[in-house]
Amino acid sequence: MSDISLQLPDPRQYPESSPSNMLIHYTQSIVNARSEDDRAMWRASLRAALVEMLEREELLSLSVALAMVTSQQIYRELWDALRDAAERPDSGRHAVIFAVPLVLVIGSKGKATLPERIADVDTLNALFRQHGLFADGAEVFLSGKLLHPDNVVGIHSAQIYRYTRQLVDAARGLPLELPAAPIVAKDEGVFLRYLLGVAIREDGAEAPVKLGGNVGAWGVPVMKFIGEQLKTEGVTLFPIPRPPMPLMQAIVAANFARLEVALQVFASTQIRQLRDLGQEPVAIMSAHDNGELHITVSATGNEKDWGGFVWPLAAQDDVAQIETNFRLLMAECQVGDVRVVDGVQPESRDGIPLFFTADDWPPQPVTLQ
């Protein structure tokens, strides 16, 4: 069976070249290597350079290199190498710094403040150990404090490099003043918080924490437990825990997960409202020159009852994946009219953010491949 071709352009711009940057030179050499031996040689050179910068806390040099990459492929290769240098020592006993992202879908008729932490942290840790996410006998501790994304993003790679190699026990966590961040809810919203953990991996031992992968059998009991711990009068709460991940990976993956859930909530609400009016929804996606994707759900002939959603593209977001996931979501919602605006559009028109509705952009023929 043929698939509908993807049409949404990537609006992000990259420099044409950055030949003077050593890190980018090494990374491009990895991508362009003609043999696995050459690739391994360049990866070793890149890792050595990154380790030296992390030891010296040369954060500006790292930020400049990531900002000057010439493609998303180069960015991902450099980012993965930075993660590897920061989070994986060559050998010996070391700490594993990880996070459990929580996407929280909240509904509230009035203003309400949820708890800032999971109070029963012992049961939280016991659940993760019971379901095999923490290895038997391993030294692991997951904090119950709910951390705001801004505070987690503020933990830089040089700190992760240092703590991975210097922390000697898990129970004390990271030696950072990270304030708990309660969620203040009103109406409907999708929020992101992190639970931060530390594990100690003994030299030659199995991994103390199962990192990454999909949500398994543990998902439902952990979801129910978190829901009970954060229960607040007048609030409807649907917590979605993600698997434990190395901290730098968690920052990237969790932001994508939050936006994906927020898009699902937006689309389902807007589709329901239009169908309650007896109108058939039309979904439109457009890419904009400020690095955003704009998505609307509207109906032909109805200029009033439409809704818009903004997806600000992060460096590692995959536009094709976002479009594919949205088309699948629309198929599940039985929305057959999904349109994509040609080319990269301006951010705004006459000072107003630019969104296209069903009357602005005509139906398009289906392209098969």
Side-chain angles (χ1 to χ4, degrees), residues 75-113:
Y75 186 100
R76 286 175 173 168
E77 186 74 38
L78 179 54
W79 176 260
D80 288 345
L82 177 60
R83 276 192 52 213
D84 184 71
E87 298 175 338
R88 188 179 63 83
D90 291 325
S91 62
R93 185 179 191 268
H94 64 274
V96 178
I97 301 166
F98 67 96
V100 175
L102 297 178
V103 178
L104 302 156
V105 183
I106 297 173
S108 175
K109 291 184 178 180
K111 186 176 180 180
T113 302

Side-chain angles (χ1 to χ4, degrees), residues 151-231:
N151 290 327
V152 175
V153 170
I155 305 172
H156 57 71
S157 54
Q159 289 175 307
I160 295 172
Y161 175 87
R162 183 169 67 252
Y163 296 144
T164 296
R165 290 152 178 81
Q166 293 180 358
L167 292 181
V168 296
D169 66 81
R172 297 182 187 180
L174 292 183
L176 294 171
E177 292 295 330
L178 299 172
I183 294 172
V184 179
K186 186 178 181 182
D187 300 324
E188 189 175 68
V190 179
F191 300 85
L192 176 62
R193 292 294 185 268
Y194 294 86
L195 303 176
L196 201 59
V198 175
I200 301 298
R201 183 166 189 172
E202 303 293 341
D203 193 17
E206 67 172 302
V209 183
K210 184 179 180 181
L211 298 171
N214 298 319
V215 176
W218 60 270
V220 172
V222 171
M223 179 186 70
K224 289 181 177 179
F225 172 73
I226 292 173
E228 292 168 358
Q229 289 287 297
L230 301 181
K231 185 176 181 180

Side-chain angles (χ1 to χ4, degrees), residues 28-273:
Q28 288 177 329
S29 298
I30 293 169
V31 172
N32 298 329
R34 295 184 178 182
S35 69
E36 287 303 317
D37 287 343
D38 286 349
R39 186 169 288 110
M41 177 192 70
W42 287 114
R43 281 204 169 116
S45 298
L46 178 58
R47 178 180 171 87
L50 288 168
V51 165
E52 184 175 345
M53 288 183 175
L54 289 169
E55 287 180 344
R56 296 179 179 177
E57 296 196 10
E58 295 180 11
L59 300 178
L60 180 59
S61 297
L62 295 171
S63 297
V64 167
L66 288 167
M68 291 175 59
V69 294
T70 55
S71 69
Q72 189 178 55
Q73 181 184 16
I74 299 295
Y75 186 100
R76 286 175 173 168
E77 186 74 38
L78 179 54
W79 176 260
D80 288 345
L82 177 60
R83 276 192 52 213
D84 184 71
E87 298 175 338
R88 188 179 63 83
D90 291 325
S91 62
R93 185 179 191 268
H94 64 274
V96 178
I97 301 166
F98 67 96
V100 175
L102 297 178
V103 178
L104 302 156
V105 183
I106 297 173
S108 175
K109 291 184 178 180
K111 186 176 180 180
T113 302
L114 277 67
E116 64 179 18
R117 66 183 66 234
I118 295 171
D120 189 355
V121 71
D122 290 338
T123 299
L124 174 69
N125 280 265
L127 273 173
F128 275 78
R129 198 172 294 275
Q130 174 188 340
H131 290 277
L133 294 169
F134 297 167
D136 288 340
E139 185 181 347
V140 188
F141 180 74
L142 179 64
S143 171
K145 186 188 297 185
L146 298 176
L147 300 179
H148 193 279
D150 290 347
N151 290 327
V152 175
V153 170
I155 305 172
H156 57 71
S157 54
Q159 289 175 307
I160 295 172
Y161 175 87
R162 183 169 67 252
Y163 296 144
T164 296
R165 290 152 178 81
Q166 293 180 358
L167 292 181
V168 296
D169 66 81
R172 297 182 187 180
L174 292 183
L176 294 171
E177 292 295 330
L178 299 172
I183 294 172
V184 179
K186 186 178 181 182
D187 300 324
E188 189 175 68
V190 179
F191 300 85
L192 176 62
R193 292 294 185 268
Y194 294 86
L195 303 176
L196 201 59
V198 175
I200 301 298
R201 183 166 189 172
E202 303 293 341
D203 193 17
E206 67 172 302
V209 183
K210 184 179 180 181
L211 298 171
N214 298 319
V215 176
W218 60 270
V220 172
V222 171
M223 179 186 70
K224 289 181 177 179
F225 172 73
I226 292 173
E228 292 168 358
Q229 289 287 297
L230 301 181
K231 185 176 181 180
T232 303
E233 185 176 355
V235 173
T236 302
L237 172 63
F238 184 65
I240 307 173
R242 305 303 301 160
M245 303 177 197
L247 182 56
M248 293 175 69
Q249 179 186 356
I251 291 170
V252 173
N255 185 61
F256 188 94
R258 182 192 69 81
L259 285 167
E260 194 163 49
V261 172
L263 178 56
Q264 292 168 1
V265 172
F266 154 76
S268 60
T269 300
Q270 187 64 23
I271 290 167
R272 183 174 61 252
Q273 290 175 351

Side-chain angles (χ1 to χ4, degrees), residues 251-333:
I251 291 170
V252 173
N255 185 61
F256 188 94
R258 182 192 69 81
L259 285 167
E260 194 163 49
V261 172
L263 178 56
Q264 292 168 1
V265 172
F266 154 76
S268 60
T269 300
Q270 187 64 23
I271 290 167
R272 183 174 61 252
Q273 290 175 351
L274 289 173
R275 285 181 172 155
D276 286 345
L277 295 172
Q279 297 179 321
E280 192 57 32
V282 175
I284 299 180
M285 305 185 77
S286 55
H288 296 261
D289 59 10
N290 62 336
E292 292 179 347
L293 304 181
H294 290 186
I295 299 167
T296 64
V297 177
S298 60
T300 302
N302 186 340
E303 297 180 355
K304 178 183 177 183
D305 300 301
W306 65 274
F309 183 90
V310 175
W311 187 304
L313 289 168
Q316 297 197 61
D317 283 352
D318 186 329
V319 172
Q321 181 184 357
I322 295 169
E323 181 182 353
T324 297
N325 292 350
F326 183 70
R327 288 181 180 275
L328 291 172
L329 173 63
M330 291 300 95
E332 291 175 3
C333 296

